[in-house]
Amino acid sequence: MRLPARAEAAERIVRTSVEALTSAGPVSDPDLISAHGALLLLAAIIAAGQGNAKRASQLLERANGLATTLGSDRNRLWTGFGPTNVVIHSVSAAVRAGNANQAMEIGTRLDTSRLPTVLVGRRAQVDVDLAAAALMSSTDRSVAVLHLLEAERVAAEMVHANVQARTLLLDLLAKERRAATPGLRPLAERAGLLA
């Protein structure tokens, strides 16, 4: 998924896996529902990255239906699939599609506290995505820095090792206004970006 030249292959693998899961008809096993839902979320992110927002929206809606069937946020088969994770992926899809305002709007109604506690990376990813959206939609870079600081508070490794977070930090540093973003340099230093 992270290699643009392989996006079609990733999409094909996900589509084939979804077809294999659903070929026998609807499933009621929570593990299979979770696997199916997680694959739909991956497909939505791929579609959004390819600029197909309509397809991404359809896939997110299908995943939402499965999350409703599942009924709560779970971590079956280490998928983290559930209603909250569908909303998290909606934010990610909006960012990948370049729709910063939609990502920010979805983010305002997102409550990650319902996620299983082991899914700290998912919680932090929301703030990394919202930082990206803030950077896309505004010249006020302080909101992006605040989101990255929150991501670091939740899961420091998300900011220190995540490619998206590090790229955002480098972009922020390139256009830094120290008075407006006093937390940026210490954050970049903790992430190992300042020598």
Side-chain angles (χ1 to χ4, degrees), residues 89-165:
H89 280 76
S90 297
V91 171
S92 294
V95 169
R96 286 190 72 140
N99 193 337
N101 292 334
Q102 181 184 19
M104 297 295 279
E105 188 275 320
I106 295 168
T108 62
R109 54 188 164 94
L110 179 58
D111 176 11
T112 61
S113 68
R114 291 178 292 205
L115 287 174
T117 55
V118 297
L119 297 176
V120 293
R122 300 274 167 100
R123 284 188 184 97
Q125 183 62 49
V126 170
D127 280 296
V128 172
D129 282 333
L130 291 173
L135 238 127
M136 280 190 267
S137 69
S138 174
T139 56
D140 180 5
R141 301 184 173 290
S142 62
V143 174
V145 173
L146 289 173
H147 279 295
L148 289 172
L149 287 167
E150 178 61 14
E152 183 189 42
R153 185 193 68 75
V154 171
E157 64 277 5
M158 276 299 290
V159 177
H160 300 174
N162 179 283
V163 173
Q164 180 187 15

Side-chain angles (χ1 to χ4, degrees), residues 6-19 46:
R6 303 298 308 260
E8 286 182 27
E11 180 182 26
R12 196 170 38 257
I13 290 167
V14 170
R15 187 175 51 248
T16 301
S17 300
V18 167
E19 288 168 4
I46 292 168

